[in-house]
Amino acid sequence: MPGYVEKALRALKHVCRRPQHAPTKCNTSRYEKEAQVTEKPDTSPPVPPEDILHLQQAVGRFLLYYAWAIDMTMFHELNFLAIQKGTASEKTMNDLTWFLNYCA
C-alpha cells in the first residue's frame, strides 16, 4: 500500500528531525568484567495518559499492517513498546520517537 507510512506519521503528528537507520538503539559491545551486568531498571518519570494513548496508537498502526506485510525488522521494537505501554515512561517515549524516525 503506497504511502502508508507517510499517512500514519501524518496521523500521529510526527515530524522527523533526525532520520534513523535502525528500529532500535544498539548497545555497544564491551569486553570487560562489568559487561556481564544486566541493564539498570528504568527510573525515568511516568508519562501522562495522553502520551500512553499516543504510544498505543503508534504501535497499533504499524503492527496491524506494515510490520506484518512489509518490514518485519520492526517486530522487536514494536514488541518492546507494546510491553511497556502499561508502565510507559520518558525513556519509552524516547524509544517511540526513535522508532518513528526510523519509519520516516
Side-chain angles (χ1 to χ4, degrees):
M1 207 158 71
Y4 182 82
V5 173
E6 291 80 13
K7 289 177 187 174
L9 291 173
R10 212 173 311 121
L12 294 169
K13 298 180 178 94
H14 178 74
V15 177
C16 180
R17 292 188 173 85
R18 184 175 181 197
Q20 302 298 336
H21 302 290
T24 60
K25 295 178 183 176
C26 298
N27 296 332
T28 57
S29 297
R30 291 179 23 209
Y31 302 103
E32 50 190 54
K33 188 176 183 179
E34 290 82 27
Q36 301 300 320
V37 179
T38 60
E39 243 183 72
K40 295 178 182 171
D42 182 15
T43 57
S44 59
V47 295
E50 52 271 3
D51 284 348
I52 293 175
L53 179 64
H54 178 71
L55 174 66
Q56 291 171 341
Q57 289 173 342
V59 169
R61 278 191 192 273
F62 285 100
L63 185 61
L64 289 179
Y65 168 72
Y66 200 77
W68 277 105
I70 308 295
D71 188 1
M72 294 188 128
T73 61
M74 295 180 173
F75 275 128
H76 175 72
E77 183 64 12
L78 283 171
N79 182 39
F80 173 76
L81 291 171
I83 290 170
Q84 296 295 320
K85 69 182 175 187
T87 58
S89 64
E90 286 183 13
K91 181 184 178 304
T92 309
M93 296 311 290
N94 290 339
D95 291 341
L96 175 64
T97 302
W98 180 287
F99 176 74
L100 292 176
N101 286 341
Y102 167 73
C103 293

